[in-house]
Amino acid sequence: MSHATDTDNELTYVLNKWRLSGAQTLAGGYQNKHWLVTASGGTKLVLRRYKENHASDLPYEFEVMRLLADRGLPVPRLVEEPMEHEGITWFLMTRMPGAESTTPLTNEQRRRGRLLAEFHETSIELNTIGQRQGFQLPEDWVNDEALVPQLQRYESVRPEEGYALRWHLDLARELFAGLDFSSAGKLVLHGDFVGRNLLFKGEQLTGILDLESTHLSYRATDFASAWRGCYDEVVHGYEEVHPLSELDRKLIVPSFWGLMFSGLKKELTAMDNAALSRENYAWHLKLLSRRSPLFGDLENRKPNPIA
């Protein structure tokens, strides 16, 4: 016998409230759930359920979407005002046509880099929107003094993993400290410009999805998800549209590492020592351990193994 879950009950309520039908689960989205639904007139739309306790500034995200769509970028538009139901936020948006790219990886990376630069040419017009609540510049994440004792606490129960995290944190701080930010411009970022968030019809870009992490920062910070420490062709493609300054280049690595630490303090604070001893942060350490020619003099610098 199958039993309806809380999510099933919530979904049924929202579908009835907005007179939607035929909910089909969709892949995609870093934190939230999505369904393809049909409106009463037969139009296909996308329904999103935000995760519980979503603390981000959602009006900021919706406004960025609106402003980008008004400027001609293929991003979804809201169809209804967001709905709050039992502490969960839902919203309904237009369905973008197309499918994920099947272009070979190297070519896809370079094209994605060019598209990211073109996205930035438009998103830089949105700078007056300011910073999104709950987001910071990457140097602020790594220079958060409360992060150090939390990492030390983690290191006491997971010495090898804790040391590797702390080593990268210390080096990121050192790299940021050596930079002159007087010429560091900021723009509105996508926040997760990866292949699964781009739709195409043939070679035409038809959809830019999931601006869940859009915020104001340095352009190099958008490489955190698009470059991921190893996809150098993304950066090379970006430069075909927008050449990087010397400061842009110096910001790539510490900005990437900074975003790796962006949520760690909160996670570490929430865990007792028993939970800490089970958590190895394999995903974070995998990305932090990556090196490529774009690391320059840092390519061969890695934490020494613990004896």
Side-chain angles (χ1 to χ4, degrees), residues 265-277:
K265 183 188 72 171
K266 183 178 180 180
E267 292 181 26
L268 293 169
T269 302
M271 287 190 280
D272 58 24
N273 281 0
L276 285 174
S277 66

Side-chain angles (χ1 to χ4, degrees), residues 27-31 34 98-101 108 112 190-200 207-210 212-213 225-226 228 283:
Y30 175 62
Q31 306 177 83
H34 299 81
E100 288 184 36
S101 174
E108 185 278 331
R112 184 153 46 95
H190 178 281
D192 196 19
F193 209 82
V194 295
R196 67 175 179 271
N197 287 334
L198 302 177
L199 301 179
F200 295 86
I208 301 174
L209 309 179
D210 293 328
E212 299 169 5
S213 298
S225 56
R228 299 208 170 198
W283 181 82

Side-chain angles (χ1 to χ4, degrees), residues 203-263:
E203 292 298 310
Q204 181 185 1
L205 178 68
T206 56
I208 301 174
L209 309 179
D210 293 328
L211 282 98
E212 299 169 5
S213 298
T214 185
H215 65 287
L216 193 71
S217 191
Y218 314 118
R219 68 178 66 243
T221 310
D222 239 0
F223 300 153
S225 56
W227 172 56
R228 299 208 170 198
C230 64
Y231 303 130
D232 289 7
E233 289 299 315
V234 171
V235 181
H236 298 325
Y238 191 101
E239 286 203 283
E240 291 177 4
V241 176
H242 184 98
L244 299 181
S245 68
E246 181 180 357
L247 179 58
D248 288 331
R249 290 186 173 280
K250 290 180 178 179
L251 277 168
I252 293 174
V253 172
S255 294
F256 172 56
W257 287 351
L259 287 189
M260 291 297 97
F261 288 103
S262 62

